[in-house]
Amino acid sequence: MTVSNPSGWLVHKFGGSSLADASCFRRVAAILKSHPAEKLAVVLSACKGVTDSLFALNAEPQLPDSEISAALLSLRDRHVTLATELLNSTAAEEFIFDFDQDCTVIRKHLREVDLVVGYGEIWSTRLFFKYLTTSYSLSGECYWLDAREVIVVESGPLGPIVQWNESRKNIASLVTKNLSGILVITGFIASTIKGIPATLGRDGSDFSASIFGSLLEANEINIWTDVDGILSADPRIVPNAQVIDSLSYNEAMELAYFGAKVIHPQTMAPAIHREIPIWIRNTFAPDRGGTLICARPKSALAVKGISTIENIALVNIEGAGMIGVPGTAHRLFGVLREAGISVVLISQGSSEHSICFAVPLSQVDLALQVARVAFKRELTEGQIQAIDADRDLSILAVVGDGMAGIPGIAAKLFNALSAASVNVRAIAQGASERNISVVVPAKSATRALRAVHASFYLSAHTLSVGIIGPGTVGRVLIDQIASQSSRLRRDFKLDLRVRGLLSSKRMLLSEDGVSFNSWKEDFLSSELVPDLKSFVNYVGADYLPNRVIIDCTASSEVAKNYAHWLAAGIHIITPNKKANSAPMASYRELQIARRAGSSHYLYEATVGAGLPIVQTLRDLRETGDEITSIEGIFSGTLAYLFNIYDGSKNFSDIVLDAKQRGYTEPDPRDDLSGIDVARKLVILGREMGLVLELADVNVESLVPSGLNEGSIDEFFIRLPNYDADMRTRFENARAHGKVLRYVGRLTAEGSATVGIVELEATHSFSNIALTDNVVRFATRRYSNNPMIVQGPGAGPEVTAGGIFADLLRLSAYLGARL
């Protein structure tokens, strides 16, 4: 980071927002005092809004004299206020006298735009110069310099062109080599070779700073603005965009071209020639680090920033007649240039069968017109089949010098876009590998930017989470997420943002995520009317790249919506068994919808709560093993009943005690019917590839005939009438040295049974903890000694844990680095 012949000058430029009022002027002076140097050059813009007001004086048609007078009076009032607050009375009077003289000149030369609009910088610098020399103590002499006496420009097709030889002669005559102190310099303005006032265009004060940095051979240039530096993305789109610590000149120009607003590419040209470092800093937070732009930055980031250009159209020219024909691209871009059309991006396949290029949406009709005229003969003769355009597009650009030579950057970009269900229309990459650009639908641009930004760990990888059913399991899940949220953000940059909660009675929505400290109170006090459609629309907003609905209910009505959500690119995690055990046609619709929406559907907790049963089955099949049979105790409630039942108590008393302990569903018949176990077998059977319906499962219900209907109280009153039957079965098993267990069995041939079986006392199912689930996988590999998965298979903690594990698994699928 060397500077050619450094002279000791430090250049500071302050924009209009840094000079909005008197307190801002004082802040600027304080910043200069905190950055002491023998040679300070301070380039100022006009006060905030003044240049716009001066431009308005030149409106077409010309304003009435009364409006011109009112506008000048408004400008005078504002500057008089500033002078009164900042200067002593004598200095203020001098400033106001000069201001009034300037207004007289403006009235006489109102149509000379460059003269008129340049007065904003003259006023701000005169005011600041007088403030430093009369009211503020800074070491060293202070000088006021009118940039029109130094910078000489000529008009060019790309804007004003600095005449460096003349400008260097001017600065040498006005600023001697041994001069030290503070130069207060007008930004934005210059003169032509004939001495006529000129301006440097919008963002011209930044350009002024860079020009003076070069003319003074400065050590560094500081651009002071109202942001902390150059950000890795537009903070209005990516709220957690990061300040980039350092950039090369080329990286900064690429980001500026693709929409970064902090600095204009032209601004840097004079500094680049002399390799003068440029700092972007925040006037309102001067202690923050800022962004360094230099020739050889030191940064560990391969990707520095991601930016977008909106309102883009893509023109495509396609035809076999272009293959191998030289000059086609020359003809095309020649006529576009002659028509004044800006081509933003070009993409061509190696087959030369087609060329596509991006233009501003406002120019697409003209581009189509001139291209069709230029290739009229080829279109008529069929050598070119079509010249058409796609509208409403955006360009997303990934920028970073460090991408060169690093494998996998493009893969990460396209994986992130795929995970966010963003379709890519065109791709362009330069040989420098500094930039990869893609054209995407405009409606997906925000989602794309957020997804790609997170994939390169420039911001937290955010999942928009909506939880349906924050009851027994959902409440515990929220607490588990809360307990790990800080660690996940700190160690893995993963932000699990719970943006919505929904029950049958209430709904809570929060853009920044519900407060984990007060969500219960906030949920209970929410006055939002619960509405499933509006809830999903909010959580699954299209601009969010990663959206997941967690269904903690057992509702078939909620489950009916899964296919629609999956097709819309919304991921689903659930312990709800209804969707996966629904009729086979509905189950297949889920798979089709999942593929169509490039979404993920995770349901480990449907079978064994937190036990890895579904994942184990998938791993066995995907690694080529063949499942012979699956059997197990799939109900923690029924496991408890048969572990406790030893004949000393009536079976009905044990069921009642289990309900009172909270081991059963509110209506124990939901457990005793065996349907819940049957649904789990259907889920596992379909994971095995079987075409299995719930009706195909042979279920032995423990609800006696005639007790299916009626109230729960009536059920418990009549259940003792059937205790003798259960005691008889128990005694018969004990007489043969066996025990009773409620087991589900599934074979590769599609046989599925659920019911009471007699097992040897040494069987693995005979010796389990009270509420354990246990599943036994018999496979080609595990034939002599089947694989067993065992552990608690019910309860809020383990069920929520299974859901949370699926949520982290989904985060990894979507690119989080866990």
Side-chain angles (χ1 to χ4, degrees), residues 9 13 28 32 64 74 93 147 160 205 210 227 257 267 366 413 454 487 504 515 536 667 735 817:
W9 282 100
K13 179 266 173 180
V28 169
L32 295 177
S74 176
E93 288 174 4
S205 292
S210 189
V227 295
Y257 177 77
T267 298
L366 180 59
L413 166 64
R487 180 183 67 85
S504 60
S515 168
V536 174
D667 187 340
R817 186 169 51 186

Side-chain angles (χ1 to χ4, degrees), residues 197-213:
T199 59
L200 300 177
R202 286 295 190 176
D203 300 311
S205 292
D206 287 352
F207 194 16
S208 300
S210 189
I211 293 169
F212 275 101

Side-chain angles (χ1 to χ4, degrees), residues 60 120 250 559 762:
E60 293 289 349
N250 287 328
T762 56

Side-chain angles (χ1 to χ4, degrees), residues 70-402:
L72 289 174
L73 181 60
S74 176
L75 287 169
R76 185 183 191 278
D77 288 344
R78 182 173 177 189
H79 285 84
V80 167
T81 299
L82 287 169
T84 304
E85 291 189 35
L86 292 170
L87 309 178
N88 60 41
S89 59
T90 302
E93 288 174 4
E94 291 174 355
F95 174 82
I96 295 167
F97 176 82
D98 289 339
F99 188 98
D100 290 337
Q101 295 293 105
D102 294 338
C103 288
T104 301
V105 174
I106 289 173
R107 282 185 171 279
K108 289 181 179 179
H109 302 277
L110 199 58
R111 309 316 289 174
E112 296 178 31
V113 178
D114 284 347
L115 171 65
V116 171
V117 299
Y119 272 103
E121 281 69 20
I122 292 173
W123 295 333
S124 65
T125 50
R126 279 182 187 160
L127 186 61
F128 190 63
F129 170 73
K130 287 183 176 294
Y131 175 61
L132 292 183
T133 54
T134 64
S135 304
Y136 194 86
S137 175
L138 273 179
S139 61
E141 292 293 322
C142 193
Y143 309 90
W144 182 73
L145 183 60
D146 186 341
R148 293 175 297 187
E149 298 179 5
V150 177
I151 301 174
V152 179
V153 297
E154 282 188 1
S155 179
L158 299 179
I161 301 171
V162 179
Q163 304 304 295
W164 288 104
N165 289 334
E166 289 79 1
S167 299
R168 287 194 180 94
K169 289 177 184 176
N170 291 339
I171 195 73
S173 67
L174 294 170
V175 181
T176 60
K177 289 285 186 181
N178 59 356
L179 181 74
S180 62
I182 301 172
L183 284 176
V184 179
I185 305 171
T186 55
F188 183 53
I189 57 177
S191 293
T192 68
I193 196 73
K194 296 181 180 180
I196 299 172
T199 59
L200 300 177
R202 286 295 190 176
D203 300 311
S205 292
D206 287 352
F207 194 16
S208 300
S210 189
I211 293 169
F212 275 101
S214 178
L215 293 174
L216 295 169
E217 299 179 1
N219 289 15
E220 68 180 32
I221 299 167
N222 295 270
I223 307 293
W224 294 88
T225 181
D226 55 2
V227 295
D228 291 343
I230 297 179
L231 298 175
S232 54
D234 187 338
R236 294 169 300 179
I237 301 174
V238 183
N240 48 1
Q242 305 295 308
V243 174
I244 305 169
D245 56 354
S246 60
L247 291 165
S248 71
Y249 297 121
N250 287 328
E251 288 172 326
M253 286 192 289
E254 291 276 0
L255 283 173
Y257 177 77
F258 284 99
K261 303 297 184 185
V262 173
I263 192 165
H264 193 279
Q266 180 175 302
T267 298
M268 292 179 283
I272 292 171
H273 179 68
R274 290 187 174 273
E275 293 192 1
I276 302 172
I278 302 172
W279 282 96
I280 309 298
R281 302 182 188 272
N282 191 340
T283 307
F284 304 96
D287 295 333
R288 295 178 186 170
T291 298
L292 171 63
I293 305 170
C294 60
R296 288 168 289 279
K298 296 178 181 179
S299 177
L301 296 174
V303 171
K304 295 296 180 63
I306 299 111
S307 193
T308 57
I309 301 178
E310 308 298 330
N311 299 314
I312 290 293
L314 194 65
V315 179
N316 187 55
I317 301 179
E318 187 172 333
M322 295 192 300
I323 298 174
V325 178
T328 302
H330 175 74
R331 286 174 59 196
L332 171 63
F333 296 114
V335 298
L336 293 172
R337 183 191 67 248
E338 291 170 4
I341 295 169
S342 173
V343 176
V344 184
L345 173 149
I346 303 168
S347 180
Q348 181 177 21
S350 59
S351 70
E352 301 181 15
H353 178 261
S354 67
I355 300 175
C356 68
F357 57 93
V359 298
L361 186 60
S362 60
Q363 294 187 309
V364 64
D365 291 328
L366 180 59
L368 287 171
Q369 179 184 335
V370 299
R372 286 167 180 165
V373 170
F375 292 97
K376 182 177 180 180
R377 179 178 176 181
E378 287 84 352
L379 285 165
T380 303
E381 296 177 356
Q383 292 174 303
I384 291 179
Q385 278 72 52
I387 300 178
D388 50 29
D390 290 329
R391 302 164 192 264
D392 298 321
L393 302 172
S394 296
I395 295 175
L396 181 146
V398 178
V399 174
D401 285 340

Side-chain angles (χ1 to χ4, degrees), residues 708-724:
N708 290 302
E709 304 297 332
S711 68
I712 297 173
D713 291 339
E714 291 172 356
F715 167 76
F716 276 112
I717 291 172
R718 297 176 60 190
L719 185 60
N721 297 334
Y722 300 90
D723 283 335

Side-chain angles (χ1 to χ4, degrees), residues 397-446:
V398 178
V399 174
D401 285 340
M403 297 193 299
I406 297 180
I409 295 291
K412 185 172 288 188
L413 166 64
F414 294 115
N415 284 340
L417 293 172
S418 174
S421 300
V422 175
N423 185 36
V424 176
R425 303 303 308 276
I427 305 164
Q429 181 177 18
S432 69
E433 299 185 55
R434 183 179 297 118
N435 176 310
I436 304 175
S437 299
V438 295
V439 181
V440 301
K443 66 179 182 179
S444 304
T446 296

